[in-house]
Amino acid sequence: MKRICYFVFLAFMTANVWAEEVKIASPDGKVNVTVTDQGGIPTYMITYDGRVMLKPSRLGLKASIGDFTAGITIKGQKQSRIDQNYEMTRIKTSQVHYVATEAVIAMQNAQGWPLTVTFRVSNHDVAFRYTLHRGQNDTPRCALVYSEASAFNFPQHTTTFICPQSKPMDGWERTKPSYEEEYKADAAMDLPSQYGQGYTFPCLFHVGNDGWVLVSETGTGSNYVGCHLSDYQKDLGYTIAFPNQDEMNGMGSPYAGIPLPGSTPWRTITMGTTLKPIVETTIPYDLVEPLYQPTHKYKPGRYTWSWLIWQDESCNYDDQVQFVDLAATMGYEYCLVDALWDQRIGREGIEKLSRYACSKGVRLMLWYNSNGMWNDAPQSPVGCMNTSWAREREMKWMEENGIAGIKVDFFGGDKQEMMKLYEDILVDANRHGLQVIFHGCTLPRGWERMYPNYVASEAMLASENVYFTEHHARQEGFELCTYPFTRNAVGSADWGGVLMNTHMSRDNKSRHPRYTSNVFEMASALIMQSSINAVVLCPNNLSELQPFELDFLRELPTTWDETRFLDGYPTRYVALARRHGNKWYVGALNGTQEPISMTLDLPMFANQTITCLTDQPLKKSKKAQENSLQLPTPVQKQLKVPQDGKVQITIQPMGGIIIR
Ligand code: CA
């Protein structure tokens, strides 16, 4: 990291006659942050290109060492430039150049206790965190943080795309909160949250014609609680909220414990006049560092997964052989064996299955239940991931038997104790060469960089809901056109889709249908980012799909060197371009019932012939189409892109487009 200190300013001691004001500008000068201590209340405000993105919003926290929300004076500040390059292998881009202005602001509370607030301001992101210090006699050496006043006070004309935090110990087998709730589109700020528990990160705000803002946090592992946003409070806006005391069956503290001196995780605010900076942001990774080195070279890839369509009944040796064979046929790297394998296949059976898979060039990943005593989820194996001795025994067995990764499910809660469990699983898994996917879980907060064997999390309404209910099958377009701007913008997401069965059943005839087109499903694998991506093919699909569909699914990359936002609006449609090596892929989804036309700017394809996969429009009335079980036929055609790189496309209702 290169740090050039170009500006040092120490505030003149003014005996509090007037407020101190600190101004911080992004390297391009467009983002401006103003921090003040007016009236003893620390606040910040943000403008982007002269437009107010956040009105004066409170800073500060309450801790066991003192109250830092009032009686605050700014004592001084120091600004420097951060200029950092780093490489990533499993997010939306591979080379990151992070340039920011850092301001370290020294504050002091009414008792004279110091507090440092550090801001990092880059061209589209503002981040801040608090550092707490020891007092006189160099004590105490640790502290509890009880609450944060940190607020996000948006202009009045702002609307929201946010997802409610669920009640603790609620839902199926008391496994919530697990970030599996429904977003509302363009809702008013003062609409009470559905469960009275505020909103999960990330939270997307539409600041009218002035632009878009995404609020989240990063750098939270075992060092803090996972936070969320409160309900909207008049005059304050949204504030940082801590976990509910009742999470984890009431065990553990809802407060954060930190050593002194020690820092909180970063609060992040990503903004722009369009959605481009939000889709492309790397802020979750810019602010964290790898916490350990990988012990193995972790391989990205695709996995087959019987459970989504064939469900629990498929957890038997013979069905799993079919999905291993399917992975081998498709050239996929992995096959995920879901819950109940310990009872229905057994450990010896898994050893045999793993040997069979390895002989076909496929490696197994295994599902585990996280619990413990924090929920009632009955699926086994249980009791293998909640203690260090059990993990060690289990992971050693996995390593000896060629298992490549684990999917650990059913956590529930953001207390520090639970955040520590995620970290402990990751650290132990790394020792045994295991990559890790979490389900029924919290949002990852910079984890792809912090933990080199971390792959992705669920932390959204994932594909299982398309299977479970007709409602979610109909909502699939809405949800997949929301995540690129929210959940997947800040962390790899195990959507677990590319559902190629037309009906949510093993016979592919019974139960409810899929409402999205084949091309929508295939394009979703370009839209949703996870370095190990599920492709929910079933063996029957091999004879049902057209050869060019299977060709695309065989080719499907899962790692990206570059991601570009092309067009979109949350909940309605999205078009992204992603580069894998020298090859560009464009994916577009329409989540609505109307065709959507747009001109894509594709300079990377200028003067080239592209292959375009689209849906043949259905010749039916809209009403008939909405209730239709008939999906449009995918067609593949070649197109010559003009020199200006402009390509006119129309995406069919609940359809998609793939260009490569
Ligand atoms: Ca789930």
Side-chain angles (χ1 to χ4, degrees):
M1 188 196 291
K2 194 167 59 179
R3 265 176 196 251
I4 309 158
C5 199
Y6 65 86
F7 181 53
V8 177
F9 170 74
L10 283 171
F12 185 63
M13 292 294 293
T14 58
N16 247 350
V17 175
W18 54 74
E20 289 297 337
E21 194 175 81
V22 175
K23 288 188 175 295
I24 314 153
S26 59
D28 69 357
K30 285 191 174 173
V31 182
N32 283 279
V33 181
T34 307
V35 182
T36 80
D37 60 1
Q38 194 160 26
I41 308 291
T43 64
Y44 71 112
M45 72 170 283
I46 301 177
T47 60
Y48 181 78
D49 218 3
R51 308 151 192 240
V52 175
M53 299 310 242
L54 273 187
K55 298 192 293 182
S57 303
R58 293 183 72 143
L59 294 166
L61 49 78
K62 286 186 177 169
S64 54
I65 53 172
D67 182 348
F68 298 93
T69 62
I72 296 288
T73 46
I74 293 175
K75 306 302 288 183
Q77 65 128 350
K78 184 177 163 183
Q79 296 198 8
S80 59
R81 188 182 171 95
I82 307 276
D83 190 321
Q84 186 185 359
N85 286 288
Y86 63 95
E87 288 182 12
M88 296 290 293
T89 56
R90 45 183 59 204
I91 60 161
K92 60 184 91 170
T93 189
S94 60
Q95 307 282 333
V96 184
H97 185 200
Y98 175 62
V99 184
T101 308
E102 182 182 82
V104 179
I105 306 171
M107 299 186 184
Q108 182 177 291
N109 74 0
Q111 287 72 44
W113 205 291
L115 174 76
T116 305
V117 185
T118 303
F119 274 85
R120 292 264 185 100
V121 182
S122 49
N123 289 346
H124 288 285
D125 303 280
V126 173
F128 64 88
R129 71 172 179 187
Y130 305 100
T131 304
L132 288 96
H133 303 275
R134 296 177 187 177
Q136 287 175 346
N137 306 323
D138 211 24
T139 57
R141 298 188 182 93
C142 56
L144 289 180
V145 180
Y146 300 132
S147 62
E148 271 188 39
S150 315
F152 307 87
N153 194 11
F154 290 94
Q156 222 47 52
H157 55 282
T158 302
T159 58
T160 72
F161 294 77
I162 49 184
C163 180
Q165 172 86 339
S166 52
K167 286 198 171 106
M169 304 306 290
D170 200 6
W172 190 75
E173 301 288 0
R174 304 195 299 159
T175 54
K176 290 186 177 188
S178 52
Y179 291 63
E180 293 172 87
E181 308 301 329
E182 293 189 62
Y183 278 83
K184 280 198 172 67
D186 259 326
M189 286 195 291
D190 57 4
L191 187 74
S193 67
Q194 194 173 349
Y195 306 107
Q197 305 288 318
Y199 297 95
T200 51
F201 286 131
C203 297
L204 180 64
F205 299 92
H206 192 189
V207 191
N209 293 329
D210 292 334
W212 295 85
V213 175
L214 188 72
V215 176
S216 195
E217 64 179 4
T218 190
T220 315
S222 63
N223 55 328
Y224 213 71
V225 293
C227 296
H228 57 279
L229 288 188
S230 71
D231 272 41
Y232 183 75
Q233 301 153 73
K234 196 173 174 297
D235 302 327
L236 283 180
Y238 301 88
T239 57
I240 290 286
F242 272 27
N244 187 305
Q245 167 64 57
D246 295 336
E247 287 177 10
M248 285 184 89
N249 221 2
M251 295 193 313
S253 169
Y255 305 135
I258 60 173
L260 296 180
S263 299
T264 68
W266 295 91
R267 315 294 161 217
T268 64
I269 303 147
T270 301
M271 72 204 79
T273 49
T274 70
L275 289 153
K276 183 177 167 68
I278 286 166
V279 172
E280 297 178 10
T281 187
T282 54
I283 196 69
Y285 318 110
D286 298 337
L287 301 164
V288 301
E289 296 283 342
L291 296 179
Y292 52 82
Q293 290 301 309
T295 56
H296 293 65
K297 195 164 166 32
Y298 293 113
K299 196 175 169 190
R302 294 74 48 91
Y303 69 89
T304 56
W305 183 32
S306 73
W307 182 84
L308 191 75
I309 302 292
W310 290 14
Q311 293 282 296
D312 289 353
E313 296 71 46
S314 69
C315 198
N316 64 73
Y317 190 87
D318 293 341
D319 282 358
Q320 293 309 312
V321 165
Q322 289 198 55
F323 279 80
V324 167
D325 289 345
L326 183 59
T329 301
M330 295 301 291
Y332 292 173
E333 293 76 6
Y334 303 111
C335 173
L336 171 62
V337 184
D338 218 278
L340 307 173
W341 56 263
D342 58 325
Q343 297 175 44
R344 299 185 181 186
I345 299 175
R347 281 163 201 275
E348 280 181 26
I350 288 291
E351 290 166 15
K352 186 174 152 204
L353 184 66
S354 183
R355 283 195 297 276
Y356 175 73
C358 288
S359 77
K360 294 238 162 184
V362 176
R363 291 182 68 194
L364 300 184
M365 301 193 294
L366 297 179
W367 185 97
Y368 283 88
N369 193 328
S370 89
N371 63 16
M373 53 302 231
W374 36 81
N375 65 52
D376 300 324
Q379 279 91 336
S380 66
V382 296
C384 300
M385 288 291 142
N386 57 315
T387 62
S388 56
W389 58 265
R391 280 195 299 275
E392 182 57 29
R393 182 186 61 193
E394 198 69 18
M395 290 174 174
K396 185 167 177 286
W397 170 74
M398 280 189 266
E399 186 176 16
E400 286 165 0
N401 287 285
I403 306 299
I406 51 175
K407 169 185 168 183
V408 190
D409 206 338
F410 301 131
F411 289 82
D414 293 334
K415 287 178 177 173
Q416 194 164 357
E417 195 163 319
M418 190 60 95
M419 302 308 284
K420 184 173 184 300
L421 178 64
Y422 290 106
E423 186 171 282
D424 288 348
I425 291 172
L426 285 159
V427 171
D428 290 349
N430 181 50
R431 213 164 43 244
H432 295 286
L434 297 164
Q435 306 194 68
V436 182
I437 294 172
F438 292 120
H439 266 234
C441 58
T442 195
L443 179 78
R445 291 157 165 93
W447 293 3
E448 293 90 334
R449 191 162 184 217
M450 291 158 67
Y451 312 113
N453 56 327
Y454 168 77
V455 176
S457 297
E458 184 179 36
M460 63 185 161
L461 279 167
S463 60
E464 62 183 7
N465 296 285
V466 176
Y467 175 89
F468 290 149
T469 70
E470 170 121 19
H471 166 72
H472 284 292
R474 288 184 182 274
Q475 283 292 96
E476 189 183 349
F478 176 99
E479 281 156 10
L480 283 179
C481 291
T482 302
Y483 296 140
F485 309 102
T486 53
R487 166 69 184 82
N488 209 190
V490 297
S492 300
D494 188 46
W495 160 253
V498 193
L499 288 149
M500 299 315 294
N501 260 21
T502 57
H503 287 72
M504 297 300 104
S505 54
R506 184 166 179 159
D507 65 16
N508 206 12
K509 294 188 190 78
S510 49
R511 296 189 75 245
H512 59 271
R514 199 182 79 214
Y515 290 92
T516 56
S517 76
N518 280 19
V519 184
F520 178 106
E521 287 298 322
M522 293 189 287
S524 76
L526 300 174
I527 296 294
M528 295 301 289
Q529 178 270 317
S530 169
S531 61
I532 299 186
N533 211 356
V535 180
V536 183
L537 274 174
C538 293
N540 49 290
N541 301 140
L542 291 178
S543 58
E544 293 162 357
L545 298 178
Q546 300 186 59
F548 63 80
E549 295 178 90
L550 290 170
D551 286 346
F552 172 74
L553 291 174
R554 277 192 197 97
E555 175 185 328
L556 184 64
T558 62
T559 55
W560 306 109
D561 292 292
E562 201 177 334
T563 290
R564 286 189 203 166
F565 170 74
L566 300 173
D567 204 348
Y569 190 91
T571 73
R572 294 182 201 161
Y573 71 104
V574 59
L576 306 181
R578 298 201 200 258
R579 181 171 61 81
H580 175 81
N582 295 324
K583 188 158 184 186
W584 282 95
Y585 293 81
V586 172
L589 306 178
N590 178 353
T592 75
Q593 300 295 339
E594 305 289 340
I596 296 179
S597 296
M598 70 195 80
T599 302
L600 298 181
D601 197 7
L602 304 176
M604 65 288 270
F605 290 122
N607 291 322
Q608 291 178 33
T609 301
I610 53 173
T611 303
C612 190
L613 259 161
T614 59
D615 301 300
Q616 189 75 53
L618 286 171
K619 292 188 185 66
K620 295 172 85 179
S621 73
K622 192 179 144 236
K623 185 83 199 137
Q625 207 168 301
E626 265 176 41
N627 296 308
S628 169
L629 305 187
Q630 193 198 335
L631 295 174
T633 310
V635 287
Q636 178 166 286
K637 45 193 181 194
Q638 311 275 311
L639 285 176
K640 180 82 198 286
V641 178
Q643 193 168 1
D644 66 2
K646 302 257 190 268
V647 177
Q648 176 79 32
I649 62 164
T650 299
I651 326 174
Q652 295 306 310
M654 296 288 260
I657 284 185
I658 293 166
I659 294 171
R660 65 199 211 275

